[in-house]
């Protein structure tokens, strides 16, 4: 193998390899990898895939490892493809509102680079300071502003990928999708690869759609509520009122306290839950939108609701939202839920979460892209406490069932990976699962690309 | 067969059957169908598919037959599934901004129904008064406002379909996708079915995302240009200026005259081309946007450019845009092109079209979703003139080559159907074509669903 990989960085230090063998998902199992490589070009990836196929070595691609479902976890004997060195912005095409990047470019680095051209890449998972575009595409990452601006899928125009199977020998490079804004020439394979968690091939280049930058800073409206369920009712009321914020986030008291104790941002945490709305209509329409949102919050029973006039304060609140996950992780292992329910069921789901927490005696902190119905209950379990761990696991599974019963899904944006495989089997009907398996077998007949993930 | 289909409307009148055996694509061949059925329920479709599979009868689904690529054309011995009677709006869920419909619902009927709830379904192909949502989903239809609001694909959340192959026997009903705004539970099969032109199965129900209705009428800015290429330069300048109209349409003089001679809307047609921009930012921001667009038009060399202050006039202009195709069809057979190029190449493509028309001595009228780079050169050929027909065909193929050479695609929104199969083979690399064929064979191993279309 080594000579086949000459000139490519190979990692075999056991500690480094161990670190590269899993993502950020607590409790998702991972195996013992053979080695890791750090390709820098598509040609490097092509050679690695061809060499692995020759020896039937499974290939596990990864970016920054910020995933929360175990999608980047190694299987025994796998070659890990660490794509973080493939971090070149290949080209920004301001005339056509597109950017082409290697998969290892960090989301926020991409945002910053295109901002210099007056352009904006909206998808903003909370991991944006660390996570890579390749990982974002592989999981079809969401984020805060997808309420108004859509998810990663809505921005992927074209992909280059190293594949095997019908396209040719393992190690064949293909270009899927297009560079134009529209196009229906053949089946939408770029869309199919988006969210496929590396199970069809290795993505080596991505062309993304961009938008013109927003001309003014968005407005922020904060509402404080006496219970998380009351906050959920306000979310449903926002939709009913025909309002479309750029983001509508929920943070409960446990999350706020965890962030405040860590970062001392000066956040008050007397309320049971805060809703943060970001409004970005320009000019006077934006002011009207902000006023309307605050009014809906008040009418829905907010303790208080007001437009933040202080940009630093507004930024601190959204920073708190983004920092909630790492802040809670400091307190011990966190099992992250990612259910998504129809918006009208957000209050019901929040209520179900409280009941499940009570029933299992677990602490569950909740952050949510509430406007999308996408909730992230974070189940806390002290390290080493086996009983707490079992209770957390039971609560986790029960929340999946509750979401499905409400017409929801077990994963809104984190992906199936390893942690949601059982949930997915609960959610999808057997015919659909069989179609998924068949498509995987067709595009990866040797089952070498990230085996065991999604439909494994 | 007849007893298997008891209770389902069967059409065997040869004239009616002939009319149901093709869509609106000139010159696309069609075969002699066995019969047509008009199912009213998913169960009807299930029975038809099962009965056809038993006898290996190919199944050709169709909606209103407004397609322009031959995607709904019969093959010999086919059973035509006319879904136009499955036109029930199953449910409007205003709380969750979704609507669920049967496939035969007409686009504009859907728009009108959701408008009563203060909601908006943006995709607006020019065929919206006649074309069905099932057809729109099957071709991933675009339209005028996809520049800002995306194509049909961006609105499809979930599908019910009658399939065969891995899911079970032909006639198995599956639910793909979801009802929530986000979701990544398994591969995106609903996305894969969208734009697959009925080649994977028959779509029997569709859940679509909606948006809150716009609160005020959009503004219209009209620019008149001395040449179509000059109009194309103005389109590129709009993007460079960071402006994002809801629609940005081009009509050349031939189109304007054809509409005016037919409908007498009072359109002036002294300019070589008009650009119509629709701007929908609310309030003062919308006025500023309209002013900025008019200024860009003037700076790009418009003969004149102004905001239409007369709503009836503005409506007439967009009506002219929508009527251009039928107006030209009155003059004789029209071969419709649907290339899409990067926006910056719109002037080059318009120039190439003029050169191709001159070279082949054909008349080509052009309408375009110019802001998207999606051009519809309409090649006119007098009925019965075989030489003109050959010239038109040659011009058609040459335009596909020109679009591909500019980094474009052979079909922006009409679909591959029969007319773009050769163009698609030119556009996509052999590996990608092989993947497409493999996916089709996997999901439809008997090749019963709309055989010969897309990858045929």
């Amino acid at each position: 193998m080594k000579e086949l990989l000459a000139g490519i960085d190979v990692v075999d230090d056991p500690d480094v390899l161990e670190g590269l063998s899993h993502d950020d998902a607590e409790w998702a199992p991972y195996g013992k990898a053979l080695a890791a490589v750090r390709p820098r070009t598509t040609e490097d990836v092509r050679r690695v895939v061809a060499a692995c196929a020759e020896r039937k070595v499974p290939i596990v691609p990864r970016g920054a490892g910020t995933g929360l479902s175990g999608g980047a976890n190694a299987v025994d004997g796998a070659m890990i493809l660490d794509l973080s060195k493939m971090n070149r912005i290949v080209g920004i095409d301001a005339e056509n509102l597109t950017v082409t990047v290697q998969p290892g470019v960090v989301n926020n680095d991409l945002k910053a680079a295109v901002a210099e051209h007056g352009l904006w890449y909206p998808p903003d998972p909370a991991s944006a300071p660390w996570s890579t575009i390749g990982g974002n595409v592989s999981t079809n990452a969401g984020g805060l502003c997808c309420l108004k601006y859509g998810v990663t899928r809505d921005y992927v125009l074209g992909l280059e990928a190293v594949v095997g199977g019908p396209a040719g020998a393992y190690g064949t490079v293909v270009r899927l999708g297009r560079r134009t804004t529209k196009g229906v020439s053949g089946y939408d394979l770029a869309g199919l690869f988006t969210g496929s968690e590396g199970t069809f091939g290795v993505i080596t280049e991505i062309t993304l759609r961009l938008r013109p930058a927003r001309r003014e800073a968005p407005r922020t409206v904060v509402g404080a509520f006496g219970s998380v369920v009351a906050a959920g009712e306000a979310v449903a009321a926002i939709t009913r009122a025909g309002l479309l914020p750029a983001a509508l986030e929920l943070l409960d008291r446990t999350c706020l306290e965890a962030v405040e104790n860590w970062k001392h941002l000066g956040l008050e945490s007397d309320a049971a839950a805060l809703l943060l709305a970001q409004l970005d209509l320009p000019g006077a329409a934006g002011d009207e939108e902000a006023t309307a949102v605050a009014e809906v919050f008040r009418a829905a029973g907010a303790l208080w609701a007001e437009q933040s006039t202080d940009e630093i304060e507004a930024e601190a609140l959204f920073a708190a939202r983004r920092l909630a996950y790492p802040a809670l992780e400091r307190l011990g292992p966190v099992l992250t839920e990612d259910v998504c329910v129809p918006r009208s069921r957000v209050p019901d789901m929040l209520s179900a979460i409280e009941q499940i927490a009570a029933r299992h005696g677990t602490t569950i902190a909740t952050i949510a892209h509430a406007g999308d119905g996408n909730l992230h209950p974070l189940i806390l379990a002290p390290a080493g406490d086996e009983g707490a761990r079992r209770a957390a696991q039971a609560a986790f599974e029960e929340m999946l069932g509750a979401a499905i019963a409400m017409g929801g899904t077990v994963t809104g944006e984190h992906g199936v990976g390893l942690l949601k495989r059982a949930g997915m089997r609960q959610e999808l009907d057997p015919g659909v699962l069989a179609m998924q398996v068949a498509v995987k077998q067709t595009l990866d007949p040797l089952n070498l690309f990230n085996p065991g993930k999604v439909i494994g």
Side-chain angles (χ1 to χ4, degrees), chain A residues 299-320:
Chain A
L303 305 175
W304 53 264
E306 58 193 45
Q307 184 175 341
S308 173
T309 48
D310 176 348
E311 211 172 302
I312 292 165
E313 180 200 65
E315 189 35 55
L317 285 163
F318 277 95

Side-chain angles (χ1 to χ4, degrees), chain A residues 42 86 88 90 100-103 158-161 175 179 202-207:
Chain A
T42 299
M86 285 182 70
R88 201 161 53 83
V90 178
T100 299
V101 297
Q102 289 187 311
L159 298 174
E160 180 191 75
R175 286 199 167 272
R179 282 165 180 268
V202 182
I203 294 170
T204 48
E205 199 177 281
I206 300 151
T207 298

Side-chain angles (χ1 to χ4, degrees), chain A residues 213-240:
Chain A
R214 293 189 281 199
R215 281 154 199 252
E216 45 190 283
R219 290 148 186 82
T220 298
V221 172
V222 187
F225 294 84
S227 74
V228 287
V229 175
E233 300 282 4
V235 169
I238 290 285
T239 308
R240 272 198 302 275

Side-chain angles (χ1 to χ4, degrees), chain A residues 156-159 175-180 185 187-191:
Chain A
V156 175
L157 290 176
L159 298 174
R175 286 199 167 272
L176 307 172
R178 56 187 204 275
R179 282 165 180 268
T180 51
S185 187
Y187 303 131
D188 183 10
L189 297 181

